[in-house]
Amino acid sequence: MEILVATGKLAEKTVRYSVVDNADVLVLDIEVAAFLTPHRLLSALKKQQKKYDVIFVPGLCSGDFSIVAKELGCKVFLGPKHAYDLSSVLRFVDEIEFSLEVPACELLSDVWRDIALETLDGIEENAEPLMDLKNVKLGGASRMKVMAEVVNATGLGEETLSNRITSFIKKGADIIDLGASLTASSEDVKRAVRVARKVSTVPISIDTLGPELIKAALDEGVDLVLSLNSSNIDAVAAEVSRADVAAVVIPDAGEGFESLVNNIEAARLAGISNIIADPVLDPIGHGITRSIVRYSRFHEEYPDVPVFFGAGNVTELIDADSVGVNATLCGIAADVGSSILFTPEFSEKTRGSISELSTAAKMMTLAKERESSPKDLGIDLLCLKEKRRRPDVEVPEKYVLAQKFAGWELDPLGPFRIGIAADDGSGVIVAQHEEATIVGQNARDIMDTIMRMKLISKVDHASYLGCELEKAEIALRLGRSYSQDDDL
């Protein structure tokens, strides 16, 4: 197949580097590639003797290049927005029908993600699990499942608890864990389980060592008990066995591997058949390495027992962004055969941990399927850093040094108050003016609406608003707070 890539003078070096010898390169007499027009391209191609099957034009071009395709009898597509992505695009030229409306990089992004998700669905459907928890597969070849704890669920009002459970499931929680406070009563536990049952269909667990609270949860039809050890096995084993629910077994406080094994054996002898083992992940600074070794040893010696991995024990006790920490912990969890990833998403710094662990679990499943590292999978957890850096520009010899404008005056049409309404979902930007309040999820749409409604009259005001709206959008994307005029 004969392929041509058309570009401008400024991008020539990057285009040739990306294309290598997989296509010919046509450099037109324009500086910026995005300014290429259909007529200019036709004029240049008529001078070419060679016939091409496919021509890629810059992804940011806006003209109607279908006239080029019609006149030359070949296919013309939008390439990627950035020249360095051409190598990735050209690999798929025989497999994908590109577009004249959607840049190739955006099209491939969707394709790669769709392929990844279809692969995950197939793996999950065909997986033989170690255990089924209310139709949720645990262990085996199935994806690691995310258990999200609602901290102090027994002390929350019905509306608050309902909203929190709903938002956790929306973020990717496969199992909801109801945390019982130290002062919770049996009635508090029953009420929490009833609320959870009302708003969700995912498995529900109760998080307490108290025998009476465990029994109360069992009475309401809870699916999982978290946790059992020598302090409560004798008191609740009969009820757990009779209800035929799963139970997470832990070592006794301060004990290790042998205690866990002994408690699992005691639970089995007491009639509990659906057992999940929690070797307990210790925080950084408190023996995390020893605990990981404990996990590895347990999985090697008891490969048929699903393993519970408490990622929240680490993320809550380190002042670092949770994205990379959760991805790394998820990789370790996969290596030691974990079935459940547990997180409370309690503190502000760990908000987003549920969705992060959910994505990371999918990445590890795909990596295992492909026998590769968790990269180039179609899904990722790159939020602040880039996989490939866009090329920098060179500072010219002559330039004007930017200076702050000191002559700011109030816009006669009035000021705007910018804020974000960040709920447990995606949140929105709120731009309040005396004439109208505009709400949206991205800065461009809000600014376009402000211009269309003629709510602004000064260039410096428009510049200021654009900066603040963009800051608000970035805050939403990163899950951060926002305050107008403060640094992000």
Side-chain angles (χ1 to χ4, degrees), residues 427-457:
V428 291
I429 306 168
V430 180
Q432 294 178 296
H433 186 272
E434 60 183 13
E435 296 294 330
T437 296
I438 303 165
V439 173
Q441 290 187 328
N442 66 75
R444 179 181 292 274
D445 288 352
I446 292 179
M447 196 64 198
D448 286 350
T449 304
I450 289 172
M451 299 292 288
R452 187 171 61 253
M453 295 178 68
K454 298 181 179 180
L455 299 176
I456 191 168
S457 65

Side-chain angles (χ1 to χ4, degrees), residues 294-307:
R294 188 163 61 239
Y295 269 91
S296 182
R297 178 186 173 188
F298 183 88
H299 180 58
E300 287 178 3
E301 296 186 18
Y302 301 92
D304 295 331
V305 178
V307 172

Side-chain angles (χ1 to χ4, degrees), residues 58-59 93 128 194 249 370 458:
V93 73
E128 292 292 334
R194 285 196 295 268
V249 178
R370 300 177 185 183
K458 292 173 61 66

Side-chain angles (χ1 to χ4, degrees), residues 134-351:
K134 197 180 177 183
N135 296 323
V136 172
K137 295 180 178 181
L138 299 180
S142 65
R143 168 182 58 83
M144 290 182 287
K145 303 307 188 296
V146 178
M147 176 189 286
E149 180 193 7
V150 181
V151 177
N152 188 28
T154 55
L156 300 177
E158 181 172 345
E159 183 177 0
T160 301
L161 179 56
S162 297
N163 291 340
R164 196 155 301 172
I165 291 170
T166 302
S167 71
F168 281 3
I169 294 172
K170 183 179 179 181
K171 290 177 180 181
D174 302 287
I175 306 166
I176 293 295
D177 180 53
L178 302 174
S181 68
L182 295 175
T183 59
S185 67
S186 295
E187 284 305 312
D188 292 333
V189 168
K190 290 182 177 181
R191 179 189 58 82
V193 175
R194 285 196 295 268
V195 171
R197 283 277 181 246
K198 186 187 300 183
V199 298
S200 74
T201 58
V202 303
I204 305 297
S205 75
I206 185 65
D207 197 341
T208 180
L209 287 168
E212 294 307 315
L213 301 186
I214 291 175
K215 292 176 183 178
L218 290 171
D219 289 342
E220 288 296 328
V222 77
D223 304 294
L224 178 64
V225 172
L226 178 72
S227 305
L228 302 185
N229 63 11
S230 65
S231 71
N232 59 12
I233 287 176
D234 291 341
V236 301
E239 285 82 353
V240 173
S241 175
R242 189 160 45 248
D244 194 29
V245 303
V248 174
V249 178
I250 61 175
D252 291 341
E255 300 296 326
F257 186 86
E258 297 303 327
S259 175
L260 174 62
V261 172
N262 291 338
N263 288 339
I264 289 174
E265 184 61 24
R268 282 177 173 160
L269 290 173
I272 301 174
S273 56
N274 298 321
I275 293 175
I276 300 167
D278 180 8
V280 181
L281 183 66
D282 294 319
I284 293 173
H286 297 275
I288 185 173
T289 303
R290 289 194 303 272
S291 66
I292 292 172
V293 171
R294 188 163 61 239
Y295 269 91
S296 182
R297 178 186 173 188
F298 183 88
H299 180 58
E300 287 178 3
E301 296 186 18
Y302 301 92
D304 295 331
V305 178
V307 172
F308 179 101
F309 192 88
N313 293 353
V314 175
T315 52
E316 291 288 349
L317 294 173
I318 181 173
D319 283 340
D321 291 330
S322 62
V323 180
V325 177
N326 276 325
T328 302
L329 288 173
C330 199
I332 295 170
D335 274 355
V336 298
S338 302
S339 302
I340 294 176
L341 301 165
F342 175 86
T343 184
E345 198 171 291
F346 180 62
S347 65
E348 284 299 318
K349 66 187 177 186
T350 59
R351 285 187 66 180

